[in-house]
Amino acid sequence: MKREQIRKWCGAGAALLMFGLILVRAAVMTITFDEAYTYFGCALDLKLNMEGIRELYLTSNSNNHMLNTILIALMDQLTGSRYVELVIRFPNILAGALYLFVLYRMYVGKHINGIVYYTLVSCYFLNEFFSLARGYGLAVCFLTICLCLYLLWKESGFQKILYPCLIMVCYMLACMANTICLLMAPALGLLCLINLIRSKTLGRFILFFWYGIAITGAGIIAMLFYHLRVTAEGNEVLYVVNADSFFEAFFLNFGDMMSENSVLATVWAAIVILSCAAACIVYLYRICKKRKAARPDFILMFFVLALLIFLEGKMGGGQFATGRAMVPLFPVLAFALQDAVGYLPEGKGKAGIVVVGSVLVMVLSMQQWCVTTTREFPSDKNAKAFGYESVYTTEAQEYEGFNITIARFYAEQANYLRSFE
Protein backbone atom coordinates (compact mmCIF):
# COMPACT_ATOMS: atom_id res chain seq x y z
CA MET A 1 0.00 0.00 0.00
CA LYS A 2 1.36 3.41 -0.96
CA ARG A 3 2.18 6.04 1.65
CA GLU A 4 -0.57 8.37 0.40
CA GLN A 5 -3.18 5.61 0.69
CA ILE A 6 -2.06 4.85 4.25
CA ARG A 7 -2.35 8.55 5.07
CA LYS A 8 -5.91 8.70 3.74
CA TRP A 9 -7.03 5.48 5.43
CA CYS A 10 -5.59 6.56 8.80
CA GLY A 11 -7.28 9.94 8.49
CA ALA A 12 -10.63 8.37 7.59
CA GLY A 13 -10.30 5.81 10.38
CA ALA A 14 -9.66 8.49 13.00
CA ALA A 15 -12.67 10.53 11.84
CA LEU A 16 -15.00 7.50 11.76
CA LEU A 17 -13.79 6.34 15.16
CA MET A 18 -14.44 9.72 16.78
CA PHE A 19 -17.85 9.98 15.12
CA GLY A 20 -18.69 6.54 16.48
CA LEU A 21 -17.88 7.78 19.98
CA ILE A 22 -20.07 10.84 19.42
CA LEU A 23 -23.00 8.75 18.25
CA VAL A 24 -22.80 6.09 20.96
CA ARG A 25 -22.39 8.66 23.74
CA ALA A 26 -25.35 10.67 22.48
CA ALA A 27 -27.48 7.52 22.49
CA VAL A 28 -26.59 6.17 25.93
CA MET A 29 -25.64 9.12 28.12
CA THR A 30 -28.11 10.45 30.67
CA ILE A 31 -29.52 13.88 29.87
CA THR A 32 -27.54 16.66 31.58
CA PHE A 33 -29.03 19.53 33.53
CA ASP A 34 -28.11 22.24 31.00
CA GLU A 35 -29.52 20.22 28.09
CA ALA A 36 -32.77 19.57 29.88
CA TYR A 37 -33.10 23.15 31.07
CA THR A 38 -32.72 24.42 27.50
CA TYR A 39 -35.10 21.80 26.18
CA PHE A 40 -37.92 22.34 28.65
CA GLY A 41 -37.37 26.03 29.24
CA CYS A 42 -36.85 27.17 25.63
CA ALA A 43 -37.15 24.56 22.88
CA LEU A 44 -40.06 22.32 23.79
CA ASP A 45 -42.89 24.75 23.00
CA LEU A 46 -40.99 27.16 20.76
CA LYS A 47 -43.03 28.50 17.85
CA LEU A 48 -40.88 28.52 14.74
CA ASN A 49 -42.13 31.83 13.36
CA MET A 50 -40.99 35.45 13.65
CA GLU A 51 -42.97 36.01 16.84
CA GLY A 52 -41.62 32.86 18.47
CA ILE A 53 -38.00 33.63 17.56
CA ARG A 54 -38.44 37.22 18.77
CA GLU A 55 -39.76 35.98 22.13
CA LEU A 56 -36.88 33.52 22.42
CA TYR A 57 -34.39 36.30 21.69
CA LEU A 58 -35.90 38.68 24.25
CA THR A 59 -36.67 36.31 27.11
CA SER A 60 -34.10 33.49 27.20
CA ASN A 61 -31.09 33.54 29.53
CA SER A 62 -27.40 32.69 29.22
CA ASN A 63 -28.10 28.96 29.46
CA ASN A 64 -29.78 29.16 26.07
CA HIS A 65 -27.81 29.11 22.81
CA MET A 66 -30.07 30.51 20.10
CA LEU A 67 -29.20 28.33 17.09
CA ASN A 68 -29.09 25.18 19.19
CA THR A 69 -32.54 25.85 20.66
CA ILE A 70 -34.09 26.61 17.28
CA LEU A 71 -32.67 23.41 15.75
CA ILE A 72 -33.85 21.29 18.70
CA ALA A 73 -37.35 22.72 18.30
CA LEU A 74 -37.19 22.01 14.56
CA MET A 75 -36.17 18.39 15.18
CA ASP A 76 -38.97 17.96 17.70
CA GLN A 77 -41.56 19.24 15.27
CA LEU A 78 -40.22 17.37 12.24
CA THR A 79 -40.03 14.00 13.99
CA GLY A 80 -43.06 14.41 16.25
CA SER A 81 -40.91 12.91 19.01
CA ARG A 82 -40.63 14.50 22.42
CA TYR A 83 -38.36 13.79 25.40
CA VAL A 84 -35.94 11.66 23.35
CA GLU A 85 -32.27 12.40 23.99
CA LEU A 86 -31.02 11.26 20.60
CA VAL A 87 -33.49 13.56 18.80
CA ILE A 88 -32.64 16.49 21.08
CA ARG A 89 -28.93 15.97 20.45
CA PHE A 90 -29.24 15.32 16.71
CA PRO A 91 -28.34 18.89 15.56
CA ASN A 92 -25.00 18.66 17.37
CA ILE A 93 -24.43 15.10 16.14
CA LEU A 94 -24.99 16.35 12.59
CA ALA A 95 -22.60 19.26 13.26
CA GLY A 96 -20.01 16.71 14.42
CA ALA A 97 -20.40 14.74 11.18
CA LEU A 98 -20.04 17.92 9.09
CA TYR A 99 -17.04 19.04 11.15
CA LEU A 100 -15.22 15.73 10.68
CA PHE A 101 -16.09 15.55 6.98
CA VAL A 102 -14.80 19.08 6.26
CA LEU A 103 -11.58 18.43 8.17
CA TYR A 104 -11.04 15.13 6.36
CA ARG A 105 -11.51 16.78 2.97
CA MET A 106 -9.04 19.51 3.95
CA TYR A 107 -6.56 16.88 5.13
CA VAL A 108 -6.87 14.68 2.05
CA GLY A 109 -6.50 17.77 -0.16
CA LYS A 110 -3.29 18.62 1.78
CA HIS A 111 -4.65 21.99 2.82
CA ILE A 112 -3.97 21.21 6.49
CA ASN A 113 -1.17 19.10 7.93
CA GLY A 114 -1.50 15.99 10.06
CA ILE A 115 -0.91 17.71 13.41
CA VAL A 116 -3.75 20.17 12.81
CA TYR A 117 -6.05 17.44 11.53
CA TYR A 118 -5.49 14.98 14.36
CA THR A 119 -5.53 17.73 17.00
CA LEU A 120 -8.98 18.87 15.86
CA VAL A 121 -10.36 15.39 15.21
CA SER A 122 -9.07 13.79 18.39
CA CYS A 123 -9.46 16.61 20.95
CA TYR A 124 -11.68 14.58 23.25
CA PHE A 125 -12.96 17.44 25.40
CA LEU A 126 -14.15 19.20 22.23
CA ASN A 127 -15.51 15.96 20.78
CA GLU A 128 -17.77 15.47 23.79
CA PHE A 129 -19.83 18.55 22.94
CA PHE A 130 -20.98 17.03 19.65
CA SER A 131 -22.87 14.50 21.80
CA LEU A 132 -24.67 17.13 23.87
CA ALA A 133 -27.59 19.39 23.02
CA ARG A 134 -25.64 22.58 23.66
CA GLY A 135 -24.41 25.32 21.35
CA TYR A 136 -20.71 24.54 21.70
CA GLY A 137 -20.58 21.78 19.09
CA LEU A 138 -22.42 23.89 16.53
CA ALA A 139 -20.12 26.86 17.21
CA VAL A 140 -16.99 24.71 16.83
CA CYS A 141 -18.28 23.31 13.54
CA PHE A 142 -19.09 26.66 11.92
CA LEU A 143 -16.00 28.45 13.22
CA THR A 144 -13.80 25.62 11.92
CA ILE A 145 -15.47 25.92 8.52
CA CYS A 146 -14.70 29.67 8.61
CA LEU A 147 -11.01 28.95 9.21
CA CYS A 148 -10.94 26.32 6.46
CA LEU A 149 -12.56 28.77 4.02
CA TYR A 150 -10.04 31.44 4.98
CA LEU A 151 -7.18 29.02 4.28
CA LEU A 152 -8.63 28.11 0.86
CA TRP A 153 -9.12 31.80 0.11
CA LYS A 154 -5.50 32.46 1.07
CA GLU A 155 -4.32 29.66 -1.21
CA SER A 156 -6.29 31.22 -4.08
CA GLY A 157 -4.36 34.46 -3.63
CA PHE A 158 -7.43 36.13 -2.08
CA GLN A 159 -9.05 36.40 -5.51
CA LYS A 160 -12.17 34.25 -5.18
CA ILE A 161 -14.75 36.43 -3.43
CA LEU A 162 -17.03 33.45 -2.86
CA TYR A 163 -14.84 32.49 0.10
CA PRO A 164 -15.34 35.69 2.16
CA CYS A 165 -19.06 35.50 1.38
CA LEU A 166 -19.25 32.00 2.85
CA ILE A 167 -17.01 33.02 5.75
CA MET A 168 -19.50 35.73 6.73
CA VAL A 169 -22.46 33.34 6.65
CA CYS A 170 -20.68 30.63 8.67
CA TYR A 171 -19.37 33.18 11.14
CA MET A 172 -22.88 34.50 11.78
CA LEU A 173 -24.08 30.93 12.42
CA ALA A 174 -21.16 30.38 14.81
CA CYS A 175 -22.12 33.51 16.77
CA MET A 176 -25.76 32.37 16.89
CA ALA A 177 -24.56 29.03 18.26
CA ASN A 178 -22.37 30.57 20.95
CA THR A 179 -21.76 34.28 21.46
CA ILE A 180 -18.14 33.90 22.57
CA CYS A 181 -17.39 33.58 18.85
CA LEU A 182 -18.05 37.34 18.65
CA LEU A 183 -14.52 37.79 19.99
CA MET A 184 -13.20 36.48 16.67
CA ALA A 185 -14.70 39.41 14.75
CA PRO A 186 -11.81 41.91 15.16
CA ALA A 187 -9.10 39.46 14.08
CA LEU A 188 -10.98 37.60 11.35
CA GLY A 189 -12.82 40.67 10.06
CA LEU A 190 -9.72 42.88 9.89
CA LEU A 191 -7.66 40.26 8.06
CA CYS A 192 -10.48 39.70 5.55
CA LEU A 193 -10.78 43.46 4.98
CA ILE A 194 -7.01 43.87 4.49
CA ASN A 195 -6.88 40.99 2.02
CA LEU A 196 -9.85 42.32 0.03
CA ILE A 197 -8.14 45.71 -0.23
CA ARG A 198 -4.73 44.27 -1.13
CA SER A 199 -6.21 41.96 -3.77
CA LYS A 200 -8.27 44.86 -5.17
CA THR A 201 -11.50 42.92 -4.84
CA LEU A 202 -13.23 44.93 -2.09
CA GLY A 203 -15.45 46.83 -4.54
CA ARG A 204 -16.44 43.65 -6.36
CA PHE A 205 -17.12 41.92 -3.05
CA ILE A 206 -19.45 44.70 -1.87
CA LEU A 207 -21.22 44.83 -5.23
CA PHE A 208 -21.64 41.05 -5.39
CA PHE A 209 -22.62 40.45 -1.76
CA TRP A 210 -24.01 43.74 -0.39
CA TYR A 211 -27.24 42.09 0.77
CA GLY A 212 -25.32 39.29 2.46
CA ILE A 213 -23.11 41.84 4.21
CA ALA A 214 -26.20 43.66 5.47
CA ILE A 215 -27.93 40.50 6.71
CA THR A 216 -24.78 39.06 8.29
CA GLY A 217 -23.85 42.36 9.90
CA ALA A 218 -27.35 42.75 11.33
CA GLY A 219 -27.25 39.19 12.66
CA ILE A 220 -23.88 39.68 14.36
CA ILE A 221 -25.02 42.98 15.92
CA ALA A 222 -28.21 41.30 17.14
CA MET A 223 -26.17 38.52 18.77
CA LEU A 224 -23.90 41.11 20.37
CA PHE A 225 -26.90 42.77 22.02
CA TYR A 226 -28.19 39.31 22.99
CA HIS A 227 -24.82 38.50 24.57
CA LEU A 228 -24.71 41.77 26.52
CA ARG A 229 -28.26 41.27 27.76
CA VAL A 230 -28.05 37.66 28.91
CA THR A 231 -24.67 38.15 30.60
CA ALA A 232 -25.90 41.26 32.44
CA GLU A 233 -29.17 39.93 33.83
CA GLY A 234 -28.50 38.49 37.25
CA ASN A 235 -24.93 37.39 36.45
CA GLU A 236 -22.02 38.62 38.53
CA VAL A 237 -19.57 36.90 36.20
CA LEU A 238 -19.53 36.85 32.42
CA TYR A 239 -19.15 33.11 31.91
CA VAL A 240 -20.05 30.01 33.89
CA VAL A 241 -16.41 29.08 34.48
CA ASN A 242 -13.82 31.74 35.33
CA ALA A 243 -10.24 31.92 36.61
CA ASP A 244 -8.15 34.65 38.23
CA SER A 245 -5.07 33.82 36.15
CA PHE A 246 -5.15 34.72 32.45
CA PHE A 247 -2.39 32.23 31.63
CA GLU A 248 -4.30 29.45 33.36
CA ALA A 249 -7.66 30.45 31.92
CA PHE A 250 -6.55 30.84 28.31
CA PHE A 251 -3.32 28.99 27.50
CA LEU A 252 -3.32 26.15 30.05
CA ASN A 253 -7.03 25.64 29.49
CA PHE A 254 -6.37 24.73 25.84
CA GLY A 255 -3.87 22.16 27.08
CA ASP A 256 -6.47 20.76 29.49
CA MET A 257 -8.78 20.21 26.51
CA MET A 258 -6.22 17.81 25.07
CA SER A 259 -5.45 15.89 28.27
CA GLU A 260 -6.82 15.48 31.78
CA ASN A 261 -3.26 15.02 33.03
CA SER A 262 -2.12 18.46 34.24
CA VAL A 263 1.55 17.83 33.40
CA LEU A 264 0.82 16.67 29.86
CA ALA A 265 -1.66 19.51 29.40
CA THR A 266 0.96 22.07 30.48
CA VAL A 267 3.62 20.57 28.20
CA TRP A 268 1.25 20.56 25.23
CA ALA A 269 0.20 24.17 25.83
CA ALA A 270 3.84 25.25 26.19
CA ILE A 271 4.81 23.55 22.93
CA VAL A 272 2.00 25.30 21.06
CA ILE A 273 2.76 28.75 22.51
CA LEU A 274 6.52 28.47 21.94
CA SER A 275 5.98 27.16 18.40
CA CYS A 276 3.73 30.11 17.56
CA ALA A 277 6.17 32.59 19.09
CA ALA A 278 9.10 31.03 17.19
CA ALA A 279 7.14 31.16 13.93
CA CYS A 280 6.50 34.89 14.42
CA ILE A 281 10.23 35.48 15.02
CA VAL A 282 11.12 33.54 11.85
CA TYR A 283 8.55 35.54 9.88
CA LEU A 284 9.92 38.88 11.11
CA TYR A 285 13.49 37.74 10.41
CA ARG A 286 12.64 36.83 6.82
CA ILE A 287 10.82 40.11 6.31
CA CYS A 288 13.82 42.06 7.64
CA LYS A 289 16.08 40.09 5.30
CA LYS A 290 13.63 40.81 2.46
CA ARG A 291 12.95 37.14 1.93
CA LYS A 292 9.67 35.64 0.87
CA ALA A 293 7.57 34.58 3.87
CA ALA A 294 3.93 33.55 4.18
CA ARG A 295 2.10 35.75 6.68
CA PRO A 296 1.17 33.73 9.82
CA ASP A 297 -2.49 34.78 9.74
CA PHE A 298 -3.79 32.10 12.09
CA ILE A 299 -1.11 32.84 14.67
CA LEU A 300 -2.07 36.52 14.48
CA MET A 301 -5.72 35.57 15.00
CA PHE A 302 -4.77 33.48 18.01
CA PHE A 303 -2.71 36.22 19.70
CA VAL A 304 -5.31 38.90 18.95
CA LEU A 305 -7.91 36.60 20.48
CA ALA A 306 -5.72 36.17 23.56
CA LEU A 307 -5.39 39.95 23.86
CA LEU A 308 -9.15 40.44 23.59
CA ILE A 309 -9.84 37.79 26.25
CA PHE A 310 -7.27 39.45 28.49
CA LEU A 311 -8.76 42.92 28.04
CA GLU A 312 -12.31 41.65 28.53
CA GLY A 313 -11.28 39.93 31.75
CA LYS A 314 -9.53 43.03 33.07
CA MET A 315 -12.53 45.22 32.29
CA GLY A 316 -14.82 42.65 33.89
CA GLY A 317 -13.09 42.69 37.27
CA GLY A 318 -10.01 40.57 36.70
CA GLN A 319 -11.61 37.19 36.01
CA PHE A 320 -11.09 35.38 32.72
CA ALA A 321 -13.32 32.98 30.85
CA THR A 322 -12.09 29.40 30.85
CA GLY A 323 -13.39 25.81 30.75
CA ARG A 324 -16.12 25.07 28.24
CA ALA A 325 -16.54 28.78 27.45
CA MET A 326 -13.31 28.50 25.45
CA VAL A 327 -14.29 25.37 23.50
CA PRO A 328 -15.58 27.21 20.37
CA LEU A 329 -12.23 29.01 20.09
CA PHE A 330 -10.07 25.87 20.26
CA PRO A 331 -9.89 25.51 16.43
CA VAL A 332 -8.06 28.87 16.24
CA LEU A 333 -5.26 27.39 18.34
CA ALA A 334 -5.10 24.28 16.17
CA PHE A 335 -4.91 26.33 12.98
CA ALA A 336 -2.11 28.40 14.52
CA LEU A 337 -0.12 25.15 14.41
CA GLN A 338 -0.70 25.13 10.65
CA ASP A 339 1.34 28.33 10.39
CA ALA A 340 3.97 27.17 12.90
CA VAL A 341 4.63 23.87 11.10
CA GLY A 342 4.68 25.73 7.77
CA TYR A 343 7.88 27.53 8.81
CA LEU A 344 9.76 24.26 9.30
CA PRO A 345 12.18 23.41 6.46
CA GLU A 346 10.89 20.73 4.09
CA GLY A 347 12.34 17.28 4.48
CA LYS A 348 12.27 14.13 6.58
CA GLY A 349 12.60 16.14 9.79
CA LYS A 350 9.38 18.03 9.16
CA ALA A 351 7.57 14.87 8.05
CA GLY A 352 8.76 13.09 11.19
CA ILE A 353 7.53 15.89 13.45
CA VAL A 354 4.11 15.79 11.78
CA VAL A 355 3.81 11.99 12.11
CA VAL A 356 5.00 11.87 15.73
CA GLY A 357 2.79 14.83 16.68
CA SER A 358 -0.24 13.20 15.03
CA VAL A 359 0.32 9.93 16.89
CA LEU A 360 0.81 11.68 20.24
CA VAL A 361 -2.42 13.68 20.07
CA MET A 362 -4.36 10.52 19.17
CA VAL A 363 -2.82 8.71 22.15
CA LEU A 364 -3.79 11.60 24.45
CA SER A 365 -7.34 11.31 23.17
CA MET A 366 -7.58 7.53 23.53
CA GLN A 367 -6.63 7.71 27.21
CA GLN A 368 -9.86 9.63 27.91
CA TRP A 369 -12.45 7.73 25.88
CA CYS A 370 -15.77 7.17 27.62
CA VAL A 371 -19.29 6.97 26.22
CA THR A 372 -21.35 7.12 29.42
CA THR A 373 -20.32 10.54 30.71
CA THR A 374 -18.42 13.73 29.82
CA ARG A 375 -15.73 15.67 31.65
CA GLU A 376 -17.72 18.90 31.80
CA PHE A 377 -21.10 17.32 32.61
CA PRO A 378 -20.50 14.19 34.67
CA SER A 379 -23.44 11.81 34.57
CA ASP A 380 -23.72 10.62 38.16
CA LYS A 381 -26.96 8.75 38.76
CA ASN A 382 -26.55 9.25 42.51
CA ALA A 383 -26.37 13.04 42.24
CA LYS A 384 -29.72 14.80 42.12
CA ALA A 385 -28.48 17.51 39.74
CA PHE A 386 -27.39 14.99 37.14
CA GLY A 387 -29.25 11.74 37.79
CA TYR A 388 -32.73 13.27 38.14
CA GLU A 389 -33.92 10.78 40.75
CA SER A 390 -37.43 12.19 40.96
CA VAL A 391 -39.63 12.11 44.03
CA TYR A 392 -42.59 13.41 42.05
CA THR A 393 -43.88 9.97 41.07
CA THR A 394 -47.29 11.17 39.88
CA GLU A 395 -45.83 13.46 37.24
CA ALA A 396 -43.19 10.89 36.30
CA GLN A 397 -45.86 8.28 35.65
CA GLU A 398 -47.65 10.73 33.38
CA TYR A 399 -44.72 10.47 31.02
CA GLU A 400 -44.27 6.72 31.06
CA GLY A 401 -43.42 5.45 27.62
CA PHE A 402 -40.92 8.21 26.98
CA ASN A 403 -37.24 7.95 27.80
CA ILE A 404 -37.21 7.53 31.57
CA THR A 405 -34.37 9.99 32.25
CA ILE A 406 -36.23 12.73 30.39
CA ALA A 407 -39.48 11.83 32.15
CA ARG A 408 -37.90 11.93 35.57
CA PHE A 409 -36.22 15.19 34.86
CA TYR A 410 -39.43 16.73 33.60
CA ALA A 411 -41.04 16.09 36.96
CA GLU A 412 -38.09 17.69 38.73
CA GLN A 413 -37.92 20.62 36.36
CA ALA A 414 -41.66 21.28 36.35
CA ASN A 415 -41.59 21.70 40.11
CA TYR A 416 -38.52 23.94 39.86
CA LEU A 417 -40.12 26.23 37.28
CA ARG A 418 -43.36 26.45 39.27
CA SER A 419 -41.41 27.78 42.23
CA PHE A 420 -40.88 31.00 40.27
CA GLU A 421 -44.54 31.49 39.35
mmCIF file of all heavy atoms in Angstrom, residues 135 174 242 357:
data_model
loop_
_atom_site.group_PDB
_atom_site.id
_atom_site.type_symbol
_atom_site.label_atom_id
_atom_site.label_comp_id
_atom_site.label_asym_id
_atom_site.label_seq_id
_atom_site.Cartn_x
_atom_site.Cartn_y
_atom_site.Cartn_z
ATOM 1 N N GLY A 135 -24.828 24.581 22.524
ATOM 2 C CA GLY A 135 -24.414 25.323 21.347
ATOM 3 C C GLY A 135 -22.942 25.198 21.010
ATOM 4 O O GLY A 135 -22.506 25.632 19.942
ATOM 5 N N ALA A 174 -21.980 30.692 13.635
ATOM 6 C CA ALA A 174 -21.161 30.380 14.814
ATOM 7 C C ALA A 174 -21.528 31.279 15.988
ATOM 8 O O ALA A 174 -21.645 30.820 17.125
ATOM 9 C CB ALA A 174 -19.683 30.523 14.478
ATOM 10 N N ASN A 242 -14.777 30.645 35.391
ATOM 11 C CA ASN A 242 -13.818 31.739 35.334
ATOM 12 C C ASN A 242 -12.582 31.391 36.134
ATOM 13 O O ASN A 242 -12.595 30.506 36.993
ATOM 14 C CB ASN A 242 -14.431 33.034 35.880
ATOM 15 C CG ASN A 242 -15.567 33.540 35.023
ATOM 16 O OD1 ASN A 242 -15.374 34.262 34.072
ATOM 17 N ND2 ASN A 242 -16.784 33.122 35.371
ATOM 18 N N GLY A 357 3.790 13.961 16.054
ATOM 19 C CA GLY A 357 2.786 14.828 16.676
ATOM 20 C C GLY A 357 1.382 14.286 16.498
ATOM 21 O O GLY A 357 0.562 14.318 17.433
#
